[in-house]
């Protein structure tokens, strides 16, 4: 059985920033190509391009809940550009580690944040280096191709 550290357990049992922001400035959804689980992130961005609020909803496992709880905590107060640099590795580090088989769950959080920022950028005509070549729709479709039934 996978062993979770106290920080991960704490965020899983009492997750922060659960829900959906009404009239969000950016909303992104990402489906994991590994497990098929889904993550939605909504963000509020002020006129200085600073993230003032972030919330998540997920059909993901405990590690996905802990990762998004931590990741949303981390991006609140960051500029959009700083949030784009948040890798799943940094989220895992901040959680004090995840079992190897659960690393992909933290990728859900990273990608859903990117896709929420992408939505914000599209709506506001903004361009960010961190979004270059990013296509949220192409990535969401991956998991449909991965399922091979014989
Ligand atoms: Fe799917 Fe963790 S197993 S998000």
């Amino acid at each position: 059985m996978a062993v979770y550290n106290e920080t991960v357990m704490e965020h899983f049992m009492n997750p922060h920033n659960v829900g959906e922001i009404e009239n969000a400035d950016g909303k992104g959804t990402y489906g994991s190509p590994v497990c098929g689980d889904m993550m939605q992130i909504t963000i509020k961005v002020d006129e200085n391009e600073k993230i003032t609020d972030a919330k998540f909803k997920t059909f993901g496992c405990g590690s996905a809940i802990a990762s998004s709880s931590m990741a949303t905590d981390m991006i609140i107060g960051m500029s959009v550009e700083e949030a784009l640099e948040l890798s799943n590795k940094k989220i895992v580090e901040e959680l004090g580690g995840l079992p190897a088989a659960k690393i992909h769950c933290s990728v859900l959080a990273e990608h859903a944040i990117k896709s929420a920022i992408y939505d914000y950028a599209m709506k506001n005509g903004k361009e960010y280096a961190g979004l270059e070549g990013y296509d949220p729709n192409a990535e969401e479709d991956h998991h449909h191709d991965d399922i091979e039934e014989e």
Side-chain angles (χ1 to χ4, degrees):
M1 198 185 119
V3 180
Y4 298 103
N5 71 44
E6 261 175 44
T7 310
V8 174
M9 282 309 289
E10 178 53 33
H11 277 272
F12 168 53
M13 304 293 276
N14 302 298
H16 308 172
N17 316 311
V18 176
E20 182 171 351
I21 298 172
E22 263 182 59
N23 303 318
D25 296 307
K27 178 173 175 173
T29 308
Y30 180 72
S32 171
V34 181
C35 63
D37 290 337
M38 302 289 296
M39 174 72 65
Q40 183 201 78
I41 301 250
T42 43
I43 52 169
K44 207 75 193 153
V45 184
D46 73 7
E47 63 280 5
N48 299 318
E49 300 185 25
K50 191 169 151 187
I51 297 174
T52 54
D53 201 7
K55 289 201 189 300
F56 78 92
K57 270 187 178 172
T58 188
F59 278 111
C61 68
S63 299
I65 293 170
S67 299
S68 348
S69 170
M70 178 60 89
T72 44
D73 269 357
M74 288 167 87
I75 63 166
I76 295 171
M78 278 186 181
S79 69
V80 168
E81 272 176 349
E82 285 166 342
L84 279 172
E85 280 170 24
L86 182 69
S87 63
N88 80 296
K89 201 166 158 249
K90 283 191 216 151
I91 301 168
V92 173
E93 268 169 25
E94 203 66 24
L95 282 170
L98 277 177
K102 289 286 170 181
I103 296 294
H104 73 267
C105 314
S106 64
V107 175
L108 265 189
E110 180 201 310
H111 280 270
I113 288 171
K114 266 216 173 99
S115 121
I117 294 176
Y118 180 86
D119 181 45
Y120 162 77
M122 288 292 119
K123 282 181 182 153
N124 293 280
K126 310 242 182 220
E127 281 182 21
Y128 298 102
L131 281 177
E132 242 166 63
Y134 183 71
D135 181 352
N137 298 320
E139 295 198 8
E140 263 181 47
D141 285 342
H142 277 181
H143 66 275
H144 298 301
D145 307 332
D146 287 340
I147 301 164
E148 278 175 34
E149 286 174 46
E150 309 239 331

